Amino acid sequence: MPNHLAKETSPYLRQHADNPVDWYPWGEEALNRARQEDKPILLSIGYSACHWCHVMAHESFEDPDVASVMNQLFINIKVDREERPDLDHIYQLAHSMLTQRNGGWPLTMVLTPDQVPYFAGTYFPKSPRYGLPGFADLLRRVEDLYRNRREDVAEQNASLLEALQGSGGAGPGSGEISRAPLEAARARLKESFDPRFGGFGEAPKFPHPGDLFYLLRDYAIHGDTDSRHMACFTLRKMAEGGLYDQLGGGFYRYSVDEQWLIPHFEKMLYDNGLLLAAYAEAAGICRDSDFHAVIEDTVAWALREMRDPQGGFYSALDADTEGGEGAFYVWTPKQVQGLLTPEEYAVFAPRFGLEGPANFEGHFWHLFLDRPLGEVASSQGLDTEAAQALIRSAREKLFVAREKRARPGLDNKVLTSWNGLMIQGLARAASALDRPDWTRAAQQAVDFIRRELWRDGRLLATYTAGQARLNAYLDDYAFLLNGLLELMQAEFRSEDLAFARNLADVLLEEFEDKEEGGFFFTGHSHEQLIQRPKNAFDAATPAGNSVAAFALQRLGHLLGDMRYLHAAERTLRSFYGMLERFPGSGASMLLVLEEYLSPPRIVILRGEAERLPEWRRALEAQRKPDDMILALPNGLSDLPDALNKPQGHPVGAWICQGVTCSPEVTDLSQLI
């Protein structure tokens, strides 16, 4: 019989609906039962694209004997970390406090009935191996602790709660706000930069878009050529490696090796939204035309495979298929040779690493750019254009063949926060490459969210199969607000500005910490949990506090609204001590600091609709990352005073920074 997950909207939870484990979703029914029966709670947090989550499910949660132990001793709660990031934040932090190690997924926590954890771990095998105990035996010992050592558990829980309550913020720092954290972050990145393969630190390597945004701005604004090299070289190496899908476009989650060759094969919407924005920002700075192809193929992947028919974007593609992790993406030379002409194979094989040894599990080849195109062309007596044509036809044939394989699982949740990141990436790419069709796709995603996930003046966090639910979190409001600010620069719509102001007002009303500054992760009306998270450390996605402050600061400058500017400043001051002590952990807050010290340059164009695109394209070629460019056609009504410029010329332009605007400029060459 299905357990209590059968009616959930999360694809991840529904994957466990037929387990013999008596799973509950997080909620009062399960929590009340734990209190009434005086049973500890076994909390398992994961997500649909998580490889080790699937392994633990197959080994233990589908096993009747293990399930019997779980059902007898515990109230079992399964959580999708993407639907409930509030719970994931709290219990990942508790895991690190209890074990002094980083957490991950699956996260395995045992809680007392009042939700306080007294045991923490991640993956556990069914039988003892990897130096880990067997899961069922471990559970018996952990339950015995609760049953027979109550005083020890209570003492530990009290200490943990005290530590959790003291974990938010980092204080105002040592003195006046200055550029010191920016300089320290650049020095830290130089120390950890990999000069051979790009990226920062050792394997496994993650893309870290926040660091790349900071470095690109550091070069564009201050001219640091080392920053430019670190960002451009890293972006180039990621695009050449196996982190990038060389046939279908889009980036995988991270690389298991230092060379970006072999990824963990899930594709996440948030990575691709952020990297779209990074490559679009870098296209002009790095002067690398290959970045255009990366952007185009990544957008094509998102629109082809991740888009809901109503306009929103799905969450993730699984790493696994029926053939195992990565099976959808990898090849053998024999398979490739059987699909291509001899001429195509002669250039494709050396270009994409098929002439080297197998690089995945000893038997398969995962494609990456191994040899320069010019070198491959020369070896075959071809010019570059002819070789490129053969590569193009080969890629098309292999892509068509790959599409016939068993596909990775799709998590079709539409998450407001991650859609905000994709809207930002699409809009920035649309501006950089002059693609109005991408702008329309981003607008359709916004319209979907406004229609399906904006209820009674508040956002909801997730939508699946016609059902929107769960109060939105800080990230939902912050990421969507930032995406709207980028989208309005690709094409201005009055309704987007109105929506942005609504989101900003809810941020101040529902999430701001009025006493200490900054924003809580959950709203004031949210369910009461054992902690109310509030942090500005970047993780897989940028910190909500940082993005909220960045977007509010920009909106405040755009509209001349001091409420937004003051909230952003209070947030920066609240976390300035963190930037001083850990400048490498808050790259997104560094962007807030940069624009606090030097407000963004805002260019407002006002004029005839048919004339504005020419001016907009000319400015895009000159644009720096801290610039904001808005093109407002004549005839718009209800514009705020700061944007309601006169309409006397075919096109007029005003350049504003801080509280100062230039006189109107009516000649394009003079403006440039």
Side-chain angles (χ1 to χ4, degrees):
M1 293 291 291
N3 53 43
H4 305 271
L5 303 181
K7 296 182 180 179
E8 289 298 300
T9 59
S10 160
Y12 175 67
L13 296 187
R14 290 201 306 272
Q15 287 171 6
H16 295 79
D18 294 318
N19 290 169
V21 179
D22 189 21
W23 290 118
Y24 285 84
W26 182 276
E28 278 305 307
E29 183 179 4
L31 299 174
N32 279 335
R33 186 180 164 196
R35 290 188 289 265
Q36 291 167 2
E37 298 182 16
D38 190 26
K39 279 187 174 183
I41 296 166
L42 177 64
L43 176 65
S44 177
I45 301 179
Y47 61 103
S48 68
C50 166
H51 172 70
W52 286 102
C53 299
H54 297 319
V55 173
M56 191 166 178
H58 294 323
E59 289 180 347
S60 294
F61 304 151
E62 296 172 7
D63 183 272
D65 294 332
V66 177
S68 176
V69 175
M70 295 171 66
N71 295 337
Q72 179 185 351
L73 301 180
F74 299 93
I75 303 301
N76 302 289
I77 297 179
K78 175 62 77 172
V79 165
D80 181 341
R81 65 107 171 176
E82 296 165 358
E83 280 198 341
R84 293 301 304 261
D86 53 339
L87 296 171
D88 190 52
H89 275 299
I90 292 169
Y91 291 110
Q92 293 284 356
L93 179 59
H95 174 281
S96 68
M97 290 178 171
L98 288 171
T99 67
Q100 300 300 302
R101 295 191 303 271
N102 291 331
W105 301 279
L107 184 67
T108 304
M109 307 290 288
V110 180
L111 325 178
T112 57
D114 58 359
Q115 306 174 31
V116 183
Y118 70 94
F119 175 82
T122 52
Y123 163 80
F124 291 100
K126 177 186 173 184
S127 303
R129 66 177 185 277
Y130 312 130
L132 296 168
F135 190 50
D137 291 339
L138 173 72
L139 293 180
R140 293 185 182 97
R141 297 203 299 271
V142 171
E143 194 273 342
D144 184 70
L145 282 176
Y146 177 73
R147 198 63 55 202
N148 297 309
R149 295 178 59 182
R150 290 288 181 101
E151 292 183 2
D152 293 341
V153 169
E155 183 178 347
Q156 177 181 279
N157 282 4
S159 298
L160 178 66
L161 285 173
E162 184 178 357
L164 285 170
Q165 299 311 318
S167 64
S174 60
E176 283 302 309
I177 291 176
S178 73
R179 285 194 52 80
L182 295 163
E183 305 291 345
R186 181 201 296 144
R188 191 73 58 87
L189 288 169
K190 287 181 180 179
E191 289 176 7
S192 62
F193 177 65
D194 181 345
R196 292 183 63 202
F197 304 112
F200 304 93
E202 300 174 348
K205 278 187 177 174
F206 290 80
H208 293 300
D211 292 337
L212 300 173
F213 287 128
Y214 161 68
L215 291 170
L216 290 167
R217 282 168 175 261
D218 192 50
Y219 168 74
I221 299 169
H222 303 291
D224 189 281
T225 54
D226 287 341
S227 292
R228 178 184 182 275
H229 171 70
M230 287 188 285
C232 296
F233 187 70
T234 297
L235 287 163
R236 193 169 297 121
K237 285 296 185 181
M238 290 196 304
E240 291 174 353
L243 184 76
Y244 179 66
D245 182 350
Q246 300 292 341
L247 291 184
F251 289 84
Y252 306 104
R253 185 163 164 250
Y254 67 88
S255 173
V256 302
D257 60 273
E258 63 180 2
Q259 300 182 51
W260 306 106
L261 294 183
I262 303 301
H264 202 31
F265 281 93
E266 67 260 48
K267 287 184 180 179
M268 313 300 292
L269 186 70
Y270 61 78
D271 285 322
N272 285 279
L274 289 165
L275 287 171
L276 266 179
Y279 277 92
E281 205 150 283
I285 292 174
C286 301
R287 295 188 289 277
D288 191 327
S289 60
D290 289 341
F291 287 2
H292 289 197
V294 172
I295 295 167
E296 289 168 355
D297 287 350
T298 299
V299 172
W301 164 77
L303 297 179
R304 181 182 67 242
E305 299 188 30
M306 302 301 290
R307 198 177 185 207
D308 183 273
Q310 298 185 70
F313 288 89
Y314 301 134
S315 297
L317 286 176
D318 206 334
D320 296 75
T321 63
E322 61 189 30
E325 184 182 3
F328 180 76
Y329 300 102
V330 298
W331 300 86
T332 65
K334 185 177 180 181
Q335 288 174 328
V336 175
Q337 203 163 12
L339 293 165
L340 305 183
T341 67
E343 294 79 12
E344 290 168 337
Y345 187 80
V347 294
F348 188 89
R351 176 70 166 149
F352 288 92
L354 293 174
E355 292 186 339
N359 59 12
F360 184 66
E361 296 185 346
H363 305 289
F364 299 100
W365 281 252
H366 180 53
L367 303 179
F368 68 100
L369 298 187
D370 188 23
R371 291 173 60 187
L373 181 61
E375 179 184 311
V376 172
S378 178
S379 70
Q380 297 299 312
L382 301 170
D383 60 36
T384 302
E385 287 187 10
Q388 186 67 272
L390 289 169
I391 292 287
R392 192 180 306 113
S393 63
R395 287 180 71 226
E396 290 171 358
K397 289 179 181 179
L398 294 177
F399 177 78
V400 169
R402 196 178 77 173
E403 286 293 285
K404 298 174 182 176
R405 296 176 174 178
R407 297 190 58 80
L410 171 69
D411 188 321
N412 66 343
K413 291 193 310 293
V414 177
L415 296 171
T416 302
S417 59
W418 296 5
N419 271 255
L421 296 177
M422 180 52 74
I423 290 163
Q424 174 194 353
L426 271 175
R428 186 70 192 91
S431 295
L433 272 64
D434 191 23
R435 290 293 299 266
D437 53 328
W438 298 350
T439 301
R440 285 193 294 276
Q443 290 170 338
Q444 288 164 2
V446 168
D447 295 343
F448 170 83
I449 292 171
R450 190 188 290 114
R451 183 174 64 250
E452 301 293 344
L453 289 146
W454 179 248
R455 304 278 175 83
D456 302 319
R458 293 291 187 272
L459 279 176
L460 296 175
T462 180
Y463 173 96
T464 312
Q467 185 176 352
R469 59 192 295 265
L470 300 176
N471 292 332
Y473 309 99
L474 171 62
D475 289 4
D476 297 293
Y477 285 91
F479 295 177
L480 182 56
L481 174 58
N482 199 42
L484 283 167
L485 289 173
E486 194 65 63
L487 179 57
M488 286 187 286
Q489 297 178 72
E491 182 181 1
F492 183 84
R493 299 191 302 177
S494 296
E495 60 265 36
D496 291 339
L497 178 59
F499 196 19
R501 297 176 81 170
N502 287 334
L503 295 174
D505 290 343
V506 177
L507 273 173
L508 301 187
E509 176 188 339
E510 184 71 5
F511 291 86
E512 189 181 15
D513 183 343
K514 303 293 185 182
E515 296 180 4
E516 302 292 335
F519 298 89
F520 294 106
F521 187 73
T522 54
H524 300 321
S525 56
H526 192 76
E527 167 192 4
Q528 186 171 352
L529 302 170
I530 62 171
Q531 187 214 20
R532 196 174 179 195
K534 177 190 167 191
N535 71 76
F537 288 100
D538 289 341
T541 56
N545 263 287
S546 303
V547 179
F550 181 81
L552 287 169
Q553 192 165 247
R554 292 199 136 199
L555 187 62
H557 284 303
L558 193 65
L559 302 179
D561 193 321
M562 299 306 296
R563 293 179 305 139
Y564 303 147
L565 291 172
H566 289 159
E569 181 179 351
R570 287 193 297 270
T571 304
L572 177 60
R573 292 188 180 278
S574 174
F575 292 102
Y576 190 68
M578 177 206 76
L579 285 184
E580 287 189 313
R581 291 196 288 276
F582 309 106
S585 299
S588 299
M589 190 64 78
L590 293 174
L591 304 185
V592 181
L593 173 59
E594 182 71 72
E595 293 201 355
Y596 173 81
L597 296 171
S598 180
R601 181 173 60 178
I602 300 171
V603 183
I604 300 170
L605 304 175
R606 191 78 194 272
E608 299 167 0
E610 63 272 14
R611 298 287 299 276
L612 287 173
E614 176 192 0
W615 287 54
R616 179 69 184 77
R617 286 191 294 270
L619 288 180
E620 184 64 38
Q622 305 278 332
R623 176 177 173 173
K624 292 183 177 180
D626 60 329
D627 289 341
M628 297 182 70
I629 303 169
L630 273 79
L632 310 176
N634 292 336
L636 289 174
S637 59
D638 300 326
L639 284 173
D641 291 343
L643 299 180
N644 195 19
K645 302 299 184 184
Q647 305 177 42
H649 296 93
V651 178
W654 291 260
I655 303 173
C656 305
Q657 191 161 21
V659 296
T660 306
C661 287
S662 72
E664 182 181 10
V665 179
T666 58
D667 179 80
L668 179 56
S669 61
Q670 182 187 352
L671 175 64
I672 291 172

